[in-house]
Amino acid sequence: MNLVNLVNIKELLRKAEKEHYAVPQFNVWNLEWISAVLDECQELQTPVILGVSQNGAKYMGGYYVVTQLIKAYIIKNNITIPVAIHLDHAATFETCKEAIDEGFTSVMIDASKMPLEENIATTKKVVDYAHSRGISVESELGRIGGKEDLVVAESCYAVKEECLQMVKETNIDCLAPALGSQHGIYKGKPKLGFKQMEEIHNLVGIPLVLHGGSGIPDDQIRRAISLGTAKINVNTDCLCAWVKILHEEIKNNPNEIDPRKLIGPGKQGIKDVIKNRCEVFGSIGKAN
């Protein structure tokens, strides 16, 4: 089998935007995560984006190790759904370049902490390098709140005029405007800026991305999709489901020393989250 199902995210999101569903991004941290996500998404016949943070890639041995591990799993387990390997929240051009050179099919440049002109210039540099190699690019405007891996920020809504400027001057493939979501566990009920979301999508004309998808009520998820959100990131829900099962295994089997028997059962928790989220996102059966 060849690797034709390794794709960038541009066409995946355009199709999702047109048909009013969202492609899920699930962050992966090790082999258990990779196998849980790919096996369940293959079963559901949903396209999927494997998100990898800078620290996540470092933990797994580097960008090359990550891409080779994913490719090997795809080949040996007959994974036929479209799969993108996406660098999540890269802070610099150099980081994006390294991931692209080592086989990632998509990158997110997050220069949102920079002044607008610097953010645009950095993003444009990434886009020029990535697009010449068939790699898609996501960028962020405003600041998505919460804490996840290297990302720590207070929420700051994106400005629609700045979003339009970003898209026009950089030619990015999708945009993650900060509109009330946050990374990690929400304190209180999330409240997304739907009016701003609709205005931004109508203005920029490209798919939108929703970060911090864990913990957002289903009705808000569905409304976001109807307003042009075509990619939704989920990480915390999977982490919590896996850790809960791990704690139970350690508590119930205090003398167990085989790591496979302790960490392996947590894969089912990840799969349960994936199935639930894909049902809400409307992506099941959209792999073709």
Side-chain angles (χ1 to χ4, degrees):
M1 171 188 168
N2 58 32
L3 299 178
V4 293
N5 58 324
L6 267 184
V7 299
N8 68 37
I9 66 175
K10 181 178 180 179
E11 294 306 318
L12 287 184
L13 300 194
R14 282 295 190 183
K15 180 175 185 291
E17 178 189 39
K18 181 179 179 181
E19 298 180 14
H20 301 294
Y21 64 91
V23 179
Q25 173 182 305
F26 299 108
N27 281 42
V28 294
W29 301 95
N30 56 26
L31 177 59
E32 283 76 22
W33 242 263
I34 291 169
S35 62
V37 173
L38 290 179
D39 289 350
E40 186 64 19
C41 289
Q42 177 70 25
E43 178 68 23
L44 298 174
Q45 283 295 291
T46 175
V48 67
I49 300 161
L50 303 185
V52 183
S53 67
Q54 291 178 242
N55 272 355
K58 183 178 180 180
Y59 174 78
M60 285 190 276
Y63 299 119
Y64 182 77
V65 174
V66 171
T67 57
Q68 297 309 302
L69 182 59
I70 292 171
K71 288 178 181 179
Y73 195 88
I74 287 173
I75 293 170
K76 291 300 182 181
N77 292 275
N78 196 31
I79 303 299
T80 59
I81 56 172
V83 177
I85 309 175
H86 180 77
L87 180 61
D88 199 22
H89 288 286
T92 67
F93 166 79
E94 290 74 18
T95 301
C96 290
K97 180 180 182 299
E98 182 181 359
I100 291 168
D101 291 346
E102 299 290 8
F104 276 59
T105 63
S106 184
V107 295
M108 178 197 181
I109 175 64
D110 182 1
S112 59
K113 290 183 179 180
M114 297 179 180
L116 178 62
E117 295 304 325
E118 291 182 39
N119 186 350
I120 289 175
T122 301
T123 301
K124 179 67 164 57
K125 188 176 180 181
V126 173
V127 169
D128 288 346
Y129 188 82
H131 280 187
S132 67
R133 291 157 177 81
I135 307 302
S136 52
V137 179
E138 171 189 341
S139 73
E140 181 175 321
L141 272 175
R143 290 193 296 276
I144 295 166
K147 180 178 180 180
E148 181 181 70
D149 202 25
L150 293 176
V151 182
V152 180
E154 295 295 326
S155 297
C156 178
Y157 268 34
V159 177
K160 63 182 180 180
E161 291 80 10
E162 294 181 354
C163 291
L164 179 60
Q165 184 180 351
M166 168 69 80
V167 172
K168 279 189 171 183
E169 294 186 18
T170 66
N171 196 30
I172 54 174
D173 300 295
C174 57
L175 175 68
L179 293 173
S181 62
Q182 71 173 49
H183 300 104
I185 298 173
Y186 284 89
K187 296 178 181 179
K189 185 177 180 180
K191 187 176 181 181
L192 302 181
F194 293 115
K195 179 177 181 293
Q196 296 90 336
M197 187 181 297
E198 183 174 21
E199 290 176 347
I200 289 171
H201 181 249
N202 289 340
L203 195 62
V204 301
I206 64 172
L208 302 184
V209 178
L210 178 61
H211 285 244
S214 298
I216 297 178
D218 293 352
D219 61 326
Q220 292 193 39
I221 290 288
R222 294 187 179 100
R223 187 174 179 190
I225 293 171
S226 75
L227 298 176
T229 296
K231 173 177 177 280
I232 301 177
N233 295 8
V234 176
N235 183 36
T236 301
D237 279 346
C238 292
L239 289 169
C240 290
W242 182 79
V243 167
K244 180 181 179 182
I245 294 174
L246 174 62
H247 287 174
E248 291 172 352
E249 290 297 320
I250 293 173
K251 179 181 177 180
N252 296 333
N253 304 282
N255 297 318
E256 182 58 68
I257 63 170
D258 187 338
R260 296 168 298 178
K261 294 181 180 179
L262 292 175
I263 66 178
K267 290 170 60 176
Q268 187 57 51
I270 300 170
K271 289 182 176 184
D272 291 343
V273 169
I274 290 170
K275 184 175 182 180
N276 175 269
R277 291 299 82 195
C278 289
E279 287 174 347
V280 175
F281 296 174
S283 66
I284 294 176
K286 299 293 187 177
N288 293 324

